[in-house]
Amino acid sequence: MATVLVVDDSSFMRMRCVSTVKELGYDTVEAGDGAEAIQTYKDQKPAAVLMDITMPGTDGLQALKEIMAFDGNARVAMVTAMGQQSMVMEAMKSGAKDFVVKPFEPDRVKAALTKLLA
Amino acid sequence: MNDQEIAFWAELVNKGTNNAMNNLSQMVGQDIQVTSFGLRQIPVAETSQLMGGADVEAIGIYLTVSGSADGHIMLMYDPRMAYGFVDLLMGQPEGTTEALGEMESSALGELGNIMGSSFLNALADATGLTLMPSPPHVMTDMAGALLDIIAADILQTQDDAFVAEATYQAPGRNISGMFFVIPTQNLLQVLLDTRTAA
Ligand SMILES: [Mg+2]
């Protein structure tokens, strides 16, 4: 079964995200900031990543860029409250495959994952 | 600010507040209602009184704004009201939360992140700017001490604070909170400049 890396600095939001991902039957690993996300990606090579943007230290955009540099085929969807047009454009340009704005309906995250893992 | 500038700022704050409240409603599954809304220019020294008194205990969720310019966002709650929002967020019966542990603080922080980001998203998309929130800081202290964090920063460059404030409630649970946005003079100027730049 594929493993999904859930990245968010809020443990409350990770819990929500993880339960949505698990409903689809995937395994999860978690990271609480961008640096941890990069390390976990390199160590575990998850099949997909759900990536927050606003986090302490290395933010989600930087982490996205470093993960894409490490693995050009990485499948990353942003899941963030930072839904500004400039942010969406930069994330897509940097290799994100989808952009989900929080607060999300669980079905929206499921659709993103289905697309990522197709 | 002249009349047109005030009208433009009011329109932006209105958009931002509506977006924040809609997303709060979705997040807690309640039809959040704004009970009062206002823009004020007050001496920075008076900001400590914004919650109605400097020495009432409060829970604050604080974010700084960066990007095109700097500013401050603070959500403030009477502790019992904050616990009520935590119960909604965590899908618990009213009265379950009696203190903030790690998960409760994280839930409140994320509420602040989503409301603050929603507010900034509306302003940014209306003006073409990029306005990024910091990660949220959840703090319990006297209201005046929490608000002094903002005052200490803006007093370095200005004597007056331009405060946008909204009070809101979740009618189903009889809980309410306050949302403050305090731009630096520089942020206000950058926002107002987009009015003529277009
Ligand atoms: Mg975050």
Side-chain angles (χ1 to χ4, degrees):
Chain A
M1 183 45 71
T3 297
V4 176
L5 170 58
V6 174
V7 187
D8 200 302
D9 57 322
S10 163
S11 49
F12 167 76
M13 189 48 70
R14 285 202 307 275
M15 184 182 71
R16 274 202 174 179
C17 245
V18 162
S19 76
T20 303
V21 173
K22 288 201 162 142
E23 278 173 30
L24 285 175
Y26 299 116
D27 290 330
T28 55
V29 283
E30 300 179 35
D33 61 41
E36 202 187 328
I38 296 161
Q39 196 53 52
T40 306
Y41 190 91
K42 290 178 177 174
D43 291 345
Q44 311 216 15
K45 284 294 251 52
V49 183
L50 300 178
M51 179 77 81
D52 185 24
I53 290 183
T54 305
M55 295 186 286
T58 306
D59 70 22
L61 269 181
Q62 276 174 269
L64 166 69
K65 289 172 188 169
E66 290 200 34
I67 287 172
M68 293 310 296
F70 170 76
D71 174 8
N73 296 315
R75 301 168 185 200
V76 183
M78 311 312 279
V79 180
T80 176
M82 255 300 276
Q84 296 170 23
Q85 285 154 17
S86 59
M87 205 51 58
V88 177
M89 280 189 296
E90 186 170 355
M92 300 310 263
K93 204 178 66 192
S94 304
K97 306 285 185 292
D98 203 346
F99 199 104
V100 180
V101 180
K102 295 191 283 197
F104 57 75
E105 297 291 344
D107 282 351
R108 180 66 185 86
V109 170
K110 289 178 183 171
L113 269 182
T114 306
K115 189 170 121 185
L116 282 184
L117 293 169
Chain B
M1 282 197 276
N2 65 35
D3 286 355
Q4 281 108 335
E5 288 173 335
I6 290 170
F8 182 71
W9 170 232
E11 188 191 320
L12 287 177
V13 170
N14 210 355
K15 279 182 187 158
T17 305
N18 282 337
N19 203 31
M21 296 304 162
N22 286 342
N23 285 332
L24 174 62
S25 298
Q26 190 187 333
M27 207 183 168
V28 298
Q30 291 263 317
D31 185 17
I32 297 294
Q33 294 170 356
V34 175
T35 51
S36 78
F37 171 78
L39 300 174
R40 287 200 271 167
Q41 179 177 355
I42 58 173
V44 173
E46 290 176 18
T47 54
S48 63
Q49 301 292 327
L50 280 171
M51 213 182 149
D55 54 3
V56 293
E57 193 187 10
I59 291 176
I61 309 161
Y62 174 56
L63 328 170
T64 56
V65 182
S66 63
S68 301
D70 301 339
H72 305 269
I73 293 177
M74 177 83 81
L75 283 74
M76 292 186 80
Y77 298 97
D78 171 293
R80 283 168 303 124
M81 301 290 163
Y83 302 157
F85 276 101
V86 170
D87 287 337
L88 279 176
L89 288 164
M90 298 183 48
Q92 300 169 162
E94 201 169 352
T96 305
T97 302
E98 292 177 327
L100 297 186
E102 203 278 326
M103 189 56 77
E104 290 82 7
S105 288
S106 170
L108 278 182
E110 190 61 13
L111 182 148
N113 174 48
I114 288 181
M115 287 184 74
S117 299
S118 303
F119 184 94
L120 295 174
N121 292 348
L123 264 66
D125 287 346
T127 57
L129 301 174
T130 300
L131 298 168
M132 294 176 300
S134 71
H137 299 277
V138 179
M139 299 170 285
T140 304
D141 206 331
M142 298 295 122
L146 294 172
L147 289 160
D148 277 349
I149 298 169
I150 301 177
D153 182 73
I154 56 178
L155 202 51
Q156 294 177 20
T157 53
Q158 62 201 74
D159 299 326
D160 280 357
F162 296 89
V163 180
E165 59 182 329
T167 308
Y168 52 92
Q169 62 177 23
R173 289 268 177 116
N174 197 27
I175 48 178
S176 62
M178 300 188 79
F179 182 73
F180 298 105
V181 177
I182 305 182
T184 57
Q185 198 107 45
N186 177 244
L187 173 56
L188 207 49
Q189 197 55 55
V190 168
L191 287 165
L192 293 175
D193 285 347
T194 64
R195 192 176 62 99
T196 42

